[in-house]
Amino acid sequence: MPVTLRLALVGVMLAAATVTTATERLPPTPDMVSDELLLGPVATRHEILVRGGRLSYTATFAETPLNDSSGKPQATISFTAYVRDGVRDRASRPVLFLFNGGPGASSSPLHFSAFGPRILTDERDASGQRKLADNPHTLLDAADLVFIDPVGTGFSRERPGVRSGEYWSVQGDAQAALTLIRKWLADNGRGASPLFIAGESYGGFRLAVMLEHIDRLPLAGLIFISPMLDASGASMAPGNDLPYIFELPSMAVAAWEHHKASGSGRTIEQVYAEAARFAQTDYAVALQQGSELPAAERDRLAVRIAALIGLPAPMIAAANLRVDTQTFLEKLLDAEGLLVGRLDTRIAAPKPDPAKLPNRPAGANDPALGLGASNVIKSAPIKAYLERELRVRTARDYLSLTLDVNFRWNWRDERGEQDSAGEPRLYVNPTQNIADAMVKHPRMRVLLVGGYYDMAVPVLAPRYALTHTNMPLERLTMVAFAAPHSSFQGDTNLTKGSAVVHDFLKGAGGLRM
């Protein structure tokens, strides 16, 4: 998979500060990883103020060892769980597992800027770190929450001396997350609880892959947030026109936002809808004609596209109406010397000097990503939160994001180039697993959330993937916000998003406390 596609799936990482409460240490585990015991399990009790008043909960952090066939630990995968206290019928209370994407991203965006019980504010402490506050938008009033940090992110690690990368692969990663989910449900006596799983960005792909192996778990609902589903829809390989169709509406929104296209006086929804209609009709028909498209028709459409996406018509015509993502991001504000963000097209920054970052993949320079020259974001504030408030003790850094994992990712299906029926595997798209799961679980529903300012996963791409299966559409809800790749970013989007997810949890699983 091209590096630019890999980087397009990396989520925006966040930092945190801390508050401390009473703590209870659980019995230590004898399993060894590295030169220290597995972290946790350790439990702490807390209270926060939410819409309905005071909410008491227990937070638990722990690692799960991932062993080879001989039982020798190869790596760890960790979680932070929040379980509401005082619930009478625990078995019937919904459980929501959440993870982000990357690959190489921790769960920190969903954890600390969306649905955890504590949320980052703009206030800073004496050391300059952002403070935490009670999160009025947390989902903990509706479901118990388990945030998963895959191998290589957060505190999760491969064991020293183990360089197999087994868990940095499509199947290995999905199986590791599923192992943790099964173990948590069994250890906590929650095997019958309504089960929800949320995956953001590559996490959506992970979730779709997991569904092939998730039989007998009580699935109630799946939440896909800016998800990559059909990877072919993001690969601008010669002969594949789908990515150009998917990205045109998002390009139109970006151009409108930067006042480079027509649309004055219209809402973002209107701008997007007009471009989406054109992309799926006249534009799609033209692209399907390939080299047979008459030059006059190509030039006519180039003028129309230019009015939508803000690039010169001759440039669009010269590209045969197919402007790739990076070209658009580099050329939209070229006169100002600015590069537009891929994860958030509202953001623009001076173009980097290639001489200062030689051999740097273009996607790593995304001004919305904030990596600078590094491949890794280590979050001291999140580490401090886990140490001070949750009482986790470790010398490890908390890795919010690591491109070192991303660059090592094995995108091939480890089962070989055949499907389960023994036929050649020429097209890999796990979206069908979602439709199959809905057949096996007749009450299960699916929620798709996207952001109009996202060009890493344009809104149209996962919508297309989900509506091109035999999925029962009456159980599919699709919403989009004026948001970037992290769809719940910003007070307005988080308020709307929390309401949408709360309604989904109530409707899909039956909210029973």
Side-chain angles (χ1 to χ4, degrees):
M1 178 172 288
V3 169
T4 53
L5 173 54
R6 296 176 185 173
L7 292 171
L9 303 175
V10 175
V12 179
M13 298 300 104
L14 303 168
T18 64
V19 174
T20 309
T21 61
T23 181
E24 172 192 353
R25 178 162 292 280
L26 302 182
T29 171
D31 297 298
M32 295 293 293
V33 174
S34 183
D35 294 326
E36 61 183 3
L37 291 171
L38 283 170
L39 302 182
V42 59
T44 51
R45 291 189 171 88
H46 311 260
E47 272 194 353
I48 58 171
L49 182 63
V50 294
R51 288 173 296 274
R54 304 302 298 182
L55 187 155
S56 300
Y57 67 95
T58 298
T60 302
F61 178 92
E63 284 189 295
T64 294
L66 298 168
N67 304 331
D68 62 16
S69 57
S70 68
K72 182 178 180 180
Q74 300 294 295
T76 65
I77 185 169
S78 57
F79 69 84
T80 307
Y82 300 99
V83 176
R84 184 169 185 172
D85 295 334
V87 175
R88 293 182 180 178
D89 185 7
R90 179 73 64 194
S92 65
R93 178 169 163 81
V95 179
L96 172 60
F97 291 85
L98 308 95
F99 40 71
N100 284 82
S106 71
S107 64
S108 53
L110 289 174
H111 193 165
F112 296 106
S113 269
F115 300 132
R118 303 280 283 164
I119 194 167
L120 286 164
T121 70
D122 291 330
E123 287 189 66
R124 297 183 181 272
D125 61 21
S127 67
Q129 302 290 357
R130 295 172 67 186
K131 292 183 178 181
L132 287 172
D134 292 351
N135 182 10
H137 306 291
T138 184
L139 303 176
L140 186 53
D141 58 332
D144 293 331
L145 310 175
V146 184
F147 295 92
I148 299 176
D149 288 334
V151 179
T153 74
F155 290 147
S156 307
R157 297 288 189 273
E158 273 197 326
R159 195 171 188 269
V162 175
R163 295 286 291 173
S164 67
E166 177 181 351
Y167 303 103
W168 297 337
S169 63
V170 171
Q171 288 293 330
D173 166 74
Q175 291 283 7
L178 186 54
T179 295
L180 188 152
I181 290 172
R182 290 186 186 280
K183 187 175 188 305
W184 191 93
L185 292 172
D187 289 349
N188 291 274
R190 304 295 293 275
S193 295
L195 173 61
F196 295 83
I197 309 176
E200 179 173 322
S201 194
Y202 179 81
F205 192 86
R206 175 188 296 125
L207 175 51
V209 172
M210 284 171 50
L211 291 174
E212 189 175 0
H213 313 285
I214 209 166
D215 290 344
R216 293 185 297 279
L217 288 182
L219 281 175
L222 306 175
I223 304 171
F224 293 90
I225 306 156
S226 304
M228 182 188 83
L229 292 174
D230 180 358
S232 66
S235 176
M236 290 179 165
N240 182 18
D241 289 329
L242 283 178
Y244 302 100
I245 296 170
F246 297 157
E247 294 201 351
L248 189 80
S250 298
M251 288 180 177
V253 167
W256 170 80
E257 175 70 19
H258 292 286
H259 308 289
K260 294 294 182 180
S262 59
S264 177
R266 292 187 297 164
T267 65
I268 189 172
E269 291 82 6
Q270 290 170 332
V271 171
Y272 181 88
E274 178 191 350
R277 283 192 297 270
F278 169 71
Q280 296 176 93
T281 54
D282 294 357
Y283 184 54
V285 170
L287 295 187
Q288 288 296 298
Q289 295 179 58
S291 300
E292 294 182 326
L293 181 70
E297 179 66 1
R298 178 202 64 202
D299 293 343
R300 184 186 72 81
L301 287 171
V303 172
R304 187 172 177 186
I305 294 169
L308 288 172
I309 71 171
L311 297 187
M315 178 188 297
I316 297 169
N320 289 319
L321 308 183
R322 297 165 176 83
V323 177
D324 68 82
T325 310
Q326 193 61 32
T327 296
F328 174 79
L329 298 175
E330 292 178 359
K331 296 297 183 182
L332 181 63
L333 301 180
D334 193 37
E336 294 93 332
L338 300 177
L339 174 67
V340 175
R342 183 188 301 260
L343 294 168
D344 187 345
T345 57
R346 296 171 299 181
I347 295 175
K351 294 181 179 180
D353 183 354
K356 293 182 179 179
L357 295 171
N359 304 316
R360 183 76 166 166
N365 295 326
D366 182 355
L369 187 56
L371 267 175
S374 174
N375 282 351
V376 178
I377 296 178
K378 299 177 181 180
S379 178
I382 292 179
K383 176 179 169 70
Y385 162 77
L386 292 168
E387 287 183 334
R388 297 175 191 170
E389 187 165 340
L390 271 59
R391 299 299 190 183
V392 181
R393 296 291 182 259
T394 181
R396 303 176 202 171
D397 291 316
Y398 186 92
L399 304 184
S400 291
L401 171 67
T402 168
L403 295 189
D404 293 337
V405 168
N406 190 282
F407 293 152
R408 285 188 60 190
W409 203 258
N410 177 12
W411 290 92
R412 295 176 66 85
D413 192 316
E414 297 92 321
R415 296 171 299 180
E417 298 305 315
Q418 293 183 335
D419 62 19
S420 58
E423 297 296 325
R425 190 182 296 275
L426 303 177
Y427 174 55
V428 180
N429 176 8
T431 312
Q432 187 59 46
N433 295 340
I434 305 170
D436 293 343
M438 295 180 82
V439 173
K440 294 176 183 177
H441 303 271
R443 298 185 63 185
M444 189 189 87
R445 296 173 62 234
V446 173
L447 172 63
L448 171 65
V449 182
Y452 290 125
Y453 293 115
D454 182 7
M455 281 199 64
V457 180
V459 170
L460 192 55
R463 289 192 176 207
Y464 181 95
L466 289 174
T467 56
H468 283 71
T469 65
N470 294 320
M471 183 178 300
L473 296 183
E474 69 275 9
R475 288 191 275 147
L476 170 63
T477 301
M478 299 185 289
V479 297
F481 302 130
H485 187 62
S486 292
S487 303
F488 305 112
Q489 185 173 321
D491 291 341
T492 299
N493 293 326
L494 184 52
T495 300
K496 292 179 179 178
S498 177
V500 167
V501 179
H502 269 94
D503 287 346
F504 180 76
L505 292 171
K506 294 175 183 178
L511 182 59
R512 290 169 290 180
M513 300 246 188

